[in-house]
């Protein structure tokens, strides 16, 4: 389903290069080219530069050919590889043909309407995926609310992600590119990665000059070189940090969502052993996290919650109800603090679709 290319032996640093889009998803379009082709070419060139200059780095590509890969699968590849850095490559579009330049996003909510437009476009690819509603838990790339509801998973890597992003932007600027700065918004592809990560909008295909630049081999090489230089700076920065102080902390391995590796697993573990009678029970799910949260975590907003594990995520729930209406009442109450919370149903320890649960309950 996806390509998994590994080059060179691991020297302790793994980078994932993620050329955006692919296959049936062409990304944005220039007058004479497609985003998916441009970013693949840049990604391959970037990989070559890293391989030849830093042969100890393990390089993994989410794709090396023109294939379609789901957004969450890209994060799964990176998490499974326990990567140290995730670089997603894209090209931008604007209705104003004069707009040009490069910017680098990290995950965050520092939103502007312009960022939002970019995030919407890059996230819209999930509409091409089957079952995207289940897979992304109701996330609708076109709904502003979906973005507001977003809960952070990347908090721990924020500083490093921004560091990398600013090093890349610095190199773009030195190459004479227009620096559209480091930005933050909700990009699904970054959301589930468990490492520093950034999404680079390498330039505008809607600008004639920039399209020519990004289409040309020389332009692609320069973009790849700028990113490579940012990468080299970032690595040097990490090495300085780890030798100068013991402050460089990687999360505990058990908190690493490498278990995500089994995306189709439907195995569910439940922690709460509260005795509930046989039959259907309902709970209100308030959020999902790629790592186990402490009870004082600000993500829980002071709410006491149980959790279960599913597909590599810790999913937090409130309450146990035997009637849907009671659970739904709780959901309404919680929605002030957790706007995207929803009711989940269980039968004999197994999660079941909510509609089937309601039908069964009404019998
Ligand atoms: Zn894109």
């Amino acid at each position: 389903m996806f390509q998994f290319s590994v080059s060179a032996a691991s020297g302790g640093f793994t980078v994932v290069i993620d050329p955006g889009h692919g296959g049936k998803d062409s990304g944005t379009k220039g007058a004479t080219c497609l985003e998916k082709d441009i970013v693949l070419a840049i990604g391959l060139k970037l990989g070559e530069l890293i391989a030849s200059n830093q042969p100890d780095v393990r390089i993994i590509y989410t794709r090396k050919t023109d294939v379609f890969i789901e957004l969450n699968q890209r994060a799964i590849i990176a998490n499974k590889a326990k990567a140290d850095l995730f670089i997603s490559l894209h090209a931008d579009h604007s209705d104003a043909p004069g707009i040009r330049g490069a910017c680098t996003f990290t995950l965050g909510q520092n939103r502007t309407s312009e960022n939002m437009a970019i995030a919407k476009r890059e996230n819209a690819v999930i509409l091409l995926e089957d079952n995207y509603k289940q897979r992304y838990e109701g996330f609708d790339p076109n709904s502003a609310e979906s973005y507001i509801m977003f809960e952070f998973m990347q908090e721990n890597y924020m500083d490093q992600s921004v560091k990398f992003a600013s090093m890349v932007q610095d190199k773009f600027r030195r190459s004479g590119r227009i620096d559209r700065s480091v930005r933050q918004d909700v990009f699904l592809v970054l959301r589930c990665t468990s490492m520093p990560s950034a999404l680079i909008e390498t330039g505008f295909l809607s600008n004639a000059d920039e399209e020519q630049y990004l289409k040309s081999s020389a332009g692609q090489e320069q973009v790849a070189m700028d990113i490579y230089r940012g990468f080299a700076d970032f690595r040097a920065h990490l090495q300085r940090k780890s030798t100068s102080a013991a402050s460089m902390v990687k999360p505990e391995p058990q908190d690493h969502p490498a278990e995500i590796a089994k995306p189709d697993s439907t195995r569910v573990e439940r922690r709460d052993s509260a005795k509930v009678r046989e039959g259907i029970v309902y709970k209100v799910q308030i959020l999902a996290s790629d790592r186990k949260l402490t009870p004082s975590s600000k993500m829980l907003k002071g709410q006491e919650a149980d959790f279960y594990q599913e597909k590599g995520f810790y999913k937090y729930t409130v309450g146990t109800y035997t009637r849907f209406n009671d659970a739904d009442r709780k959901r309404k109450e919680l929605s002030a603090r957790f706007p995207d919370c929803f009711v989940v149903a269980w039968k004999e320890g197994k999660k079941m679709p909510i509609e089937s649960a309601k039908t069964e309950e009404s019998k």
Side-chain angles (χ1 to χ4, degrees), residues 275-338:
K275 290 202 171 51
V276 286
R277 62 182 175 81
E278 292 296 296
I280 298 165
V281 295
Y282 301 93
K283 292 158 180 283
V284 183
Q285 184 165 322
I286 52 171
L287 62 94
S289 167
D290 64 345
R291 70 187 66 83
K292 200 166 163 179
L293 303 174
T294 60
S296 60
S297 165
K298 60 184 172 187
M299 284 172 72
L300 290 169
K301 302 175 185 171
Q303 177 65 50
E304 230 178 90
D306 290 323
F307 70 84
Y308 64 97
Q309 283 177 278
E310 188 181 48
K311 298 179 184 176
F313 284 87
Y314 294 87
K315 300 188 172 182
Y316 287 81
T317 64
V318 175
T320 302
Y321 304 90
T322 53
R323 294 188 326 160
F324 174 80
N325 285 348
D326 295 335
D328 199 46
R329 197 169 304 124
K330 187 66 180 175
R331 177 194 64 77
K332 281 179 193 142
E333 183 192 317
L334 286 166
S335 64
R337 277 177 301 151
F338 302 95

Side-chain angles (χ1 to χ4, degrees), residues 18-23 25-28 35-36 39 63 65-69 71 74 89-91 121-123 125:
D18 173 46
H21 313 278
D25 168 28
S26 58
T28 193
E35 177 183 359
K36 66 176 184 176
V39 296
R63 69 180 181 97
T65 55
D66 184 19
V67 288
F68 179 76
I69 299 171
L71 281 188
R74 297 170 191 259
L89 300 169
H90 291 262
R121 198 178 55 247
E122 299 294 9
N123 290 332
V125 55

